[in-house]
Amino acid sequence: MTVDFSPFHQLDTPFAIIDKEYTYIEISKQWQQQFKLKKTFKGKKFFECLPELPEEFQIDVSYCLEGISSRSDTKRIVTSCGNSVWYQWKISTLGGHEVNNYLFITLEDVTDKKLEEDLLYKTQEVAKIGSWRMDLKSNTIFWSDMVKTIHEVPLDFKPDLEKAIFFYKAGWSREHITNLVSRAIASGTSWDTELIIVTENGKEKWVRAIGEPEMVNGSCIRLVGTFQDIDARKQTELELERSKNAFADSIKNSKVGMALVSPSGQFLEANESLCALWGYNKEELKKLTFQEITHQEDLEKDLALLNEVINGKRDTYQLEKRYFDKKGQIVYALLTVTAVRDQEGTIQQFISQVIGLNERIKNENKLKKLLDITTNQNESLLNFAYIVSHNLRSHASNLALVCGLVNNNKLSASQREEAMLHLEKASSSLNETIDHLNDVVQIKIGGEQHLEKVDLKKTISNTLKGISALIAENKVAVTLDYQGTPNISGKLIYVESIVLNLISNAIKYRNTAIPAKIAIRVQELNDAVLLEVEDNGLGIDMEANGRNLFGMYKTFHKHKDAKGIGLFITKNQVEAIGGKIVATSSVNQGSTFSVKFKKHQV
């Protein structure tokens, strides 16, 4: 009798029908595709076509052929290719006297499903996640093995609602979970919370409890959820929070200026010491970046060091830099920057410590000024000694000569009277020089505060008149160019000496092969007056002698009157009244001496 198996093909399951001889009678398309069988399968032996099926499957087939109504199982095999394959089967005898000699077999490759289950199980095991279920109809509770492990109870432990609730720490945790369960049962509200339990062994442990109610016709029939051990993470979070609070307290109470700064430079937090240093309150400072209040000349160096930290070349750096406070005034500070990184090494923020240095800088400037004054006074004393020597030498020589004449018994009365007149003039000149030298001493003692108004144009004119015979004798052409009304701050004796020395040097070291020329120019600047004395004389090799031009005893030409004192004295005189002197020169082309005086302020 022919049996119609067509109804079986409506099933969406891979199946096969075999007889007692293990011969294929019928298979589904899914079966054919799954095991890659040809259409000519009928009449072939089942296990010859599928030789690698588990041994347990073959045994179950035999049991069913011997009269057992059904068998099912899931097993793993390793194929000849080395692949691991999971099979799930169900075997049933076909009922009725006409078909009781046949077996209906469903056999599926559940490898992917099994791997997913194993992966889920391992993931839950690593993450310490277990599942639970509470059936309200039967009033029973199921805990997975992981939930029992978290509670540190035996795997055969039988929980109930009262026991489950009392594992939560007395107080807020127990009250909170009780309220959450009650609300879920009453209104179908789910929960996801973090609480503390006390395990069977008395250990406090943080857990994450998730619950989901299952509702039927508005009534809760079951609660299901997961239970995770988060104690390690939670302890880390709490420790981090404690560290943050301790760090925040240390920043707040520190007398050193401290701030938290974002990777972009934004101020995230600042203590009162830093706010006081810069004059901003916290809210004002949080709207700024450190780049905005850094002195531009120091910003590039700061950013270069910061980039080294960002690129992992260093963890911290320190430098002295300048900031601008709220009033725009410069604040000198010592900055120390340290990076705060997360577990992946990404910078989260920077800790900046800022120590104000204005007082130290002020004291250093005072000390430097004192050293400068001491140095200048030492130089002035030396300069004064040479001025005395230089200026009195001619008077001493002149007095010696006149005294010699006076003591000459061979002189007539008229000659002796003339000699006495010369002696009187020489004495008067000596007294005048001593008075001038006394003025020099007063200038050096009092500093620049004793400077007075000096008419530079008048001083030049008087100097030229005083040496007019020398100018005429050497046939020197002098030109004058005045721009403005050049009144300067100085001391007349110094200015007279400076002008005289520059002009007389130009005459002394003229080039005798050509007509001598001297150009005197005076130009009024914003806060200074520039005097230039240019000649076409012998000139100086600046490459060889430029560094020693104003040195003591430095001479650059063979001349009977060259002693190497004039320019040294001139430079010191210029600087003593707050001026500056420079020179340019070329051999056989001439020299130009430029003196910048302070302009007299009315």
Side-chain angles (χ1 to χ4, degrees):
M1 180 178 178
T2 302
V3 180
D4 182 14
F5 296 110
S6 59
F8 292 104
H9 287 282
Q10 297 179 9
L11 300 173
D12 190 20
T13 304
F15 71 85
I17 300 174
I18 63 173
D19 59 16
K20 287 188 175 183
E21 303 300 324
Y22 300 96
T23 302
Y24 276 115
I25 301 300
E26 189 72 27
I27 63 172
S28 66
K29 290 182 179 179
Q30 293 92 331
W31 183 286
Q32 183 179 354
Q33 292 171 356
Q34 179 174 273
F35 296 107
K36 298 180 175 58
L37 297 179
K38 297 180 180 180
K39 292 182 179 181
T40 58
F41 64 90
K42 290 186 178 181
K44 293 187 177 181
K45 297 296 183 181
F46 183 86
F47 290 109
E48 289 180 1
C49 295
L50 301 172
E52 293 184 333
L53 290 177
E55 183 179 353
E56 292 84 354
F57 175 79
Q58 299 182 35
I59 294 173
D60 283 352
V61 170
S62 299
Y63 283 162
C64 289
L65 288 176
E66 290 174 1
I68 295 176
S69 60
S70 66
R71 298 286 288 183
S72 63
D73 204 350
T74 303
K75 293 293 178 182
R76 183 179 71 93
I77 66 168
V78 179
T79 67
S80 58
C81 298
N83 296 325
S84 178
V85 181
W86 284 87
Y87 284 112
Q88 183 178 28
W89 65 82
K90 186 173 182 181
I91 307 170
S92 305
T93 57
L94 291 178
H97 67 281
E98 295 177 341
V99 292
N100 58 2
N101 291 328
Y102 299 116
L103 295 182
F104 182 81
I105 302 171
T106 61
L107 182 65
E108 291 186 81
D109 182 343
V110 293
T111 303
D112 291 342
K113 180 180 178 181
K114 195 68 177 176
L115 290 175
E116 287 179 5
E117 291 177 354
D118 288 347
L119 181 60
L120 178 61
Y121 176 79
K122 290 178 180 178
T123 301
Q124 291 178 339
E125 189 176 36
V126 171
K128 297 183 179 180
I129 300 175
S131 60
W132 60 272
R133 182 177 66 254
M134 183 171 73
D135 194 322
L136 299 181
K137 286 187 176 181
S138 62
N139 198 28
T140 58
I141 294 179
F142 164 80
W143 279 0
S144 69
D145 289 348
M146 180 55 67
V147 175
K148 294 175 182 179
T149 300
I150 293 172
H151 284 82
E152 296 182 342
V153 296
L155 295 181
D156 59 355
F157 177 78
K158 302 295 183 183
D160 58 40
L161 181 58
E162 185 178 359
K163 291 178 181 177
I165 292 295
F166 271 85
F167 271 108
Y168 288 90
K169 185 178 180 180
W172 182 82
S173 291
R174 189 179 297 174
E175 292 173 3
H176 191 53
I177 193 64
T178 301
N179 292 333
L180 291 173
V181 171
S182 299
R183 192 189 309 167
I185 294 173
S187 59
T189 305
S190 59
W191 73 84
D192 184 346
T193 188
E194 296 177 355
L195 303 167
I196 299 175
I197 65 169
V198 180
T199 69
E200 184 75 10
N201 297 325
K203 178 182 178 182
E204 290 191 4
K205 185 182 293 186
W206 278 92
V207 297
R208 180 184 181 188
I210 299 176
E212 186 77 30
E214 293 184 358
M215 311 294 289
V216 176
N217 297 326
S219 298
C220 180
I221 61 170
R222 190 179 297 108
L223 295 173
V224 296
T226 58
F227 202 78
Q228 182 181 10
D229 181 350
I230 61 169
D231 194 66
R233 172 178 65 81
K234 196 67 178 180
Q235 294 297 343
T236 301
E237 289 178 358
L238 292 173
E239 182 61 32
L240 181 60
E241 188 65 26
R242 285 191 289 270
S243 298
K244 285 183 178 179
N245 291 336
F247 179 68
D249 289 341
S250 67
I251 287 181
K252 181 179 179 181
N253 300 321
S254 176
K255 293 185 178 180
V256 174
M258 297 186 72
L260 297 179
V261 183
S262 74
S264 65
Q266 194 81 31
F267 288 103
L268 304 175
E269 189 59 61
N271 67 357
E272 293 298 332
S273 298
L274 190 61
C275 291
L277 181 65
W278 290 337
Y280 294 99
N281 61 43
K282 288 185 181 181
E283 296 308 313
E284 290 173 333
L285 203 54
K286 287 180 180 180
K287 296 177 183 179
L288 299 172
T289 65
F290 79 85
Q291 294 94 325
E292 292 177 280
I293 63 173
T294 294
H295 195 291
Q296 288 301 308
E297 293 179 5
D298 298 337
L299 182 59
E300 185 176 349
K301 184 177 180 180
D302 194 355
L303 292 176
L305 291 170
L306 187 69
N307 285 330
E308 289 186 14
V309 175
I310 293 173
N311 296 328
K313 294 180 180 179
R314 59 167 72 212
D315 293 322
T316 185
Y317 69 90
Q318 186 177 83
L319 82 157
E320 289 189 14
K321 60 177 290 190
R322 290 165 291 176
Y323 294 95
F324 289 107
D325 65 12
K326 188 176 180 179
K327 295 180 179 179
Q329 298 173 330
I330 292 178
V331 176
Y332 290 86
L334 176 64
L335 170 68
T336 303
V337 177
T338 304
V340 179
R341 302 177 185 270
D342 60 18
Q343 294 179 344
E344 285 73 35
T346 302
I347 294 178
Q348 299 298 303
Q349 57 193 13
F350 296 101
I351 301 172
S352 295
Q353 299 181 58
V354 183
I355 301 175
L357 300 179
N358 275 24
E359 196 63 32
R360 194 200 78 183
I361 296 296
K362 186 187 297 182
N363 291 334
E364 287 179 353
N365 288 339
K366 285 182 180 178
L367 180 59
K368 183 177 182 298
K369 188 174 183 180
L370 181 60
L371 290 173
D372 289 342
I373 291 173
T374 303
T375 301
N376 288 335
Q377 287 181 344
N378 288 337
E379 291 178 353
S380 296
L381 288 173
L382 184 62
N383 183 30
F384 179 70
Y386 282 108
I387 290 175
V388 171
S389 174
H390 188 266
N391 289 8
L392 294 185
R393 184 183 296 114
S394 59
H395 292 294
S397 298
N398 192 33
L399 281 171
L401 179 62
V402 172
C403 287
L405 290 173
V406 171
N407 293 327
N408 190 343
N409 295 323
K410 296 180 180 181
L411 293 178
S412 63
S414 61
Q415 288 176 326
R416 187 176 298 278
E417 184 178 352
E418 184 179 354
M420 290 300 293
L421 289 174
H422 284 298
L423 180 60
E424 184 179 349
K425 289 181 180 179
S427 298
S428 177
S429 296
L430 178 59
N431 286 330
E432 185 179 354
T433 299
I434 291 173
D435 288 340
H436 288 168
L437 291 175
N438 184 61
D439 290 340
V440 172
V441 172
Q442 296 304 316
I443 289 175
K444 292 305 179 181
I445 292 175
E448 294 182 18
Q449 62 183 350
H450 294 288
L451 298 184
E452 59 191 10
K453 176 182 175 182
V454 176
D455 187 335
L456 183 57
K457 182 177 180 181
K458 182 178 180 181
T459 303
I460 294 171
S461 178
N462 290 340
T463 302
L464 291 174
K465 288 178 181 177
I467 59 172
S468 58
L470 182 64
I471 294 172
E473 180 183 352
N474 292 284
K475 300 179 181 179
V476 179
V478 179
T479 60
L480 297 171
D481 181 9
Y482 295 104
Q483 295 183 19
T485 306
N487 292 323
I488 66 173
S489 287
K491 203 67 178 177
L492 181 58
I493 184 174
Y494 272 36
V495 180
E496 288 176 341
S497 178
I498 292 165
V499 173
L500 176 61
N501 203 17
L502 293 180
I503 297 174
S504 62
N505 274 359
I507 298 172
K508 185 188 300 182
Y509 300 110
R510 68 191 181 282
N511 187 345
T512 57
I514 58 176
K517 294 180 181 179
I518 299 176
I520 300 174
R521 296 183 292 271
V522 177
Q523 181 181 1
E524 189 174 358
L525 306 176
N526 289 333
D527 57 352
V529 174
L530 180 65
L531 166 66
E532 292 182 324
V533 178
E534 180 182 2
D535 64 60
N536 63 342
L538 297 175
I540 300 169
D541 185 348
M542 295 296 286
E543 186 175 348
N545 302 307
R547 294 179 61 184
N548 300 316
L549 184 61
F550 296 100
M552 191 187 308
Y553 300 132
K554 302 299 180 181
T555 58
F556 311 103
H557 301 288
K558 293 181 180 180
H559 194 284
K560 61 181 178 125
D561 295 326
K563 293 181 173 56
I565 295 296
L567 284 179
F568 172 79
I569 292 175
T570 298
K571 181 175 185 294
N572 281 272
Q573 289 171 334
V574 169
E575 293 177 350
I577 57 176
K580 185 177 180 182
I581 183 170
V582 295
T584 59
S585 186
S586 299
V587 176
N588 294 325
Q589 298 294 320
S591 304
T592 300
F593 285 85
S594 302
V595 182
K596 187 177 287 186
F597 296 104
K598 286 185 176 181
K599 182 188 289 187
H600 179 70
Q601 302 297 329
V602 179

